[in-house]
């Protein structure tokens, strides 16, 4: 069944009056898809929720740059809009994206209340929702981007990415034993410690000067974060597939991780400027491949570029940490140049390692994910997403 994101008539009708006086309509609702379900008013055009900074300029309906007669999505990050810690110490990154994967209250209807509460603690709420492509599956995707000629060639941004769905019940003990906990075991563990990214820290009860436990206004005990205690939880890593701009290049990058519990200290990640196309950079468990690259100056500007992507996701051997079946990637690029249709094959059904060794699969996001400590302003439009 084909799933196509098109603007809902009801959503459009509610903004027509505003659109007559403004060509940009801010979309300021945000959802933490891992830890919370989306409310009805937070769902955008029937198929998206927004993540990242919620300043009015960061994600907007754009009536001035329409796609197939409908408003597109305009994404923008300014110099001061980085709000997240980067991959390296002292680095920052910024995010303003639309996620195709999320859960709503309807996805938990008829289930015990504790199931939603448990999913919040485990950060797996979105595992119960829409937009998931299972590991090892084959899927076709399509989306379009409009890059203005004013965009600085020094930007460092991912504009489309397929992300993994890690399961935090997969843990490593202080002795280095990797095991998958039951829901009850993980909940008990989370009562004893605080997780910062993939690292667990001691959970220490706060006490006043008289040694009495401190409580908040609702009577709940207050805790502080102590030192790392040796436990690790699965958190994920680099996106299995990303389209972006970096170091003066447009690139397509495929990543693979066959390790059962991701090693976050392994920074196997191909550099677009220094890595040859289809020559993977590898470590013991990971592979990072620049599947295609083009100088930023040659990337078409001020027109809609449509990408059509076919992916056969790699199949992994779970605890065995093997490659059961390699993946395949095919990417087509279409646009109009001086009124003539241009069709280019960027990746021609190439075998490639692409995916993660997770129980669950992948989901799509597009927008701006500004990385590498960059604060260079970014602005472009996206639209026309579909998958089947």
């Amino acid at each position: 069944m084909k799933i196509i994101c098109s603007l809902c008539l009801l959503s459009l009708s509610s903004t027509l009056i505003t659109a007559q006086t403004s060509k940009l309509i801010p979309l300021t609702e945000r959802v933490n898809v891992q830890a919370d379900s989306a409310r009805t008013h937070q769902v955008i055009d029937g198929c998206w929720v927004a993540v990242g900074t919620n300043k009015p300029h960061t994600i907007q309906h754009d009536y001035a740059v329409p796609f197939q007669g409908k408003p597109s999505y305009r994404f923008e990050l300014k110099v001061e809009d980085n709000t997240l810690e980067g991959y390296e110490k002292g680095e920052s990154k910024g995010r303003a994206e639309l996620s195709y994967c999320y859960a709503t209250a309807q996805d938990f209807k008829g289930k015990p209340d504790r199931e939603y509460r448990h999913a919040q603690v485990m950060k797996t709420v979105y595992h119960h929702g829409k937009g998931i492509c299972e590991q090892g599956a084959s899927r076709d995707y399509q989306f379009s981007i409009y890059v203005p000629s004013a965009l600085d060639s020094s930007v460092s941004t991912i504009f489309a990415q397929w992300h993994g769905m890690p399961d935090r019940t997969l843990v490593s003990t202080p002795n280095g034993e990797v095991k998958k906990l039951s829901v009850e075991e993980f909940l008990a563990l989370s009562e004893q410690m605080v997780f910062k990214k993939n690292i667990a820290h001691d959970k220490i009860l706060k006490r006043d000067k008289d040694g009495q436990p401190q409580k908040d206004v609702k009577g709940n005990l207050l805790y502080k974060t102590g030192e790392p205690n040796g436990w690790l939880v699965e958190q994920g890593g680099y996106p299995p597939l990303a389209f972006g701009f970096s170091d003066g290049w447009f690139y397509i990058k495929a990543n693979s991780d066959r390790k059962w519990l991701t090693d976050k200290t392994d920074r196997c990640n191909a550099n677009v400027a220094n890595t040859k196309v289809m020559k993977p950079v590898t470590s013991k468990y990971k592979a990072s491949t620049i599947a295609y690259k083009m100088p930023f100056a040659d990337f078409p500007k001020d027109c809609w570029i449509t990408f059509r992507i076919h992916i056969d996701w790699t199949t992994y051997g779970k605890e065995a940490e093997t490659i059961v079946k390699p993946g395949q990637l095919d990417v087509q690029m279409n646009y109009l140049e001086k009124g003539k249709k241009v069709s280019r094959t960027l990746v021609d059904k190439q075998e490639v390692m692409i995916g993660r060794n997770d129980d669950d699969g992948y989901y799509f996001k597009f927008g701006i994910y500004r990385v590498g400590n960059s604060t260079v302003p970014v602005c472009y439009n996206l639209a026309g997403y579909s998958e089947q």
Side-chain angles (χ1 to χ4, degrees), residues 107-152:
D107 294 306
F108 291 90
K109 187 176 181 180
K111 299 178 181 179
D113 290 343
R114 65 179 181 275
E115 187 161 340
Y116 177 65
R117 294 196 303 271
H118 293 171
Q120 287 184 299
V121 174
M122 297 187 294
K123 295 188 177 181
T124 56
V125 173
Y126 65 144
H127 288 235
H128 297 261
K130 64 170 282 294
I132 302 168
C133 176
E134 62 273 17
Q135 187 200 125
S138 295
R139 188 68 58 93
D140 291 302
Y141 303 90
Q142 180 173 308
F143 69 91
S144 300
I145 185 171
Y146 186 102
V147 177
S149 53
L151 186 65
D152 195 308

Side-chain angles (χ1 to χ4, degrees), residues 179-224:
K179 59 182 180 179
K180 196 170 181 66
L181 303 180
S182 67
V183 172
E184 291 73 19
E185 288 172 330
F186 181 84
L187 295 173
L189 199 68
S190 66
E191 288 291 323
Q192 305 169 34
M193 56 194 72
V194 176
F195 302 111
K196 289 190 173 183
K197 295 186 176 180
N198 67 318
I199 299 174
H201 298 252
D202 290 330
K203 189 175 183 180
I204 302 172
L205 182 65
K206 287 186 175 182
R207 296 183 182 276
D208 60 25
K209 60 182 180 180
D210 297 321
Q212 297 301 310
Q214 293 186 22
K215 297 181 179 181
D216 62 19
V217 293
K218 294 183 179 180
N220 299 313
L221 292 172
L222 296 175
Y223 296 88
K224 61 182 178 180

Side-chain angles (χ1 to χ4, degrees), residues 20 36 40 64 102 107 122 200 224 233 259 305 335 351-352:
Q20 290 173 358
D36 200 4
T40 301
Y102 58 89
D107 294 306
M122 297 187 294
K224 61 182 178 180
V233 297
K259 203 169 192 310
I305 309 295
Y335 58 98
E351 181 177 298
V352 64

Side-chain angles (χ1 to χ4, degrees), residues 5 47-49 51 75 97-102 126 130-133 139 141-144 158-165 241-243 307 309 311 313 361-367 382-387:
C5 275
C47 56
W48 301 103
V49 296
V51 298
F75 298 87
E97 297 176 292
L98 294 180
S99 172
Y100 193 67
C101 178
Y102 58 89
Y126 65 144
K130 64 170 282 294
I132 302 168
C133 176
R139 188 68 58 93
Y141 303 90
Q142 180 173 308
F143 69 91
S144 300
I158 295 172
F159 60 79
Q161 62 174 307
W162 288 255
H163 213 279
M165 303 184 72
L241 183 63
F243 284 54
F307 293 101
I309 305 107
I311 307 173
W313 294 99
Y362 315 97
Y363 68 101
F364 179 82
K365 297 188 294 181
F366 66 9
L382 291 153
Y385 179 69
S386 67
E387 64 175 57

Side-chain angles (χ1 to χ4, degrees), residues 11 148 154 168 254 352:
S11 176
S154 65
R168 286 160 62 88
V352 64

Side-chain angles (χ1 to χ4, degrees), residues 319-343:
E319 294 95 333
E321 298 179 332
T322 56
I323 301 294
V324 176
K325 182 181 178 183
Q328 187 181 90
L329 180 63
D330 188 83
V331 181
Q332 307 292 321
M333 176 182 183
N334 300 314
Y335 58 98
L336 291 176
E337 184 175 57
K338 296 179 181 180
K340 294 184 179 180
K341 184 177 179 180
V342 178
S343 296

Side-chain angles (χ1 to χ4, degrees), residues 238 246-247 251-255 267-276 279-282 287-291:
Y238 296 120
S246 182
D247 296 324
Y251 69 89
I252 301 171
K253 183 188 296 186
N255 289 313
R267 296 299 187 188
C268 178
N269 189 26
N271 180 286
V272 62
N274 302 328
T275 307
K276 294 182 179 180
K279 299 294 183 182
V281 174
T282 61
S288 184
T289 306
I290 302 298

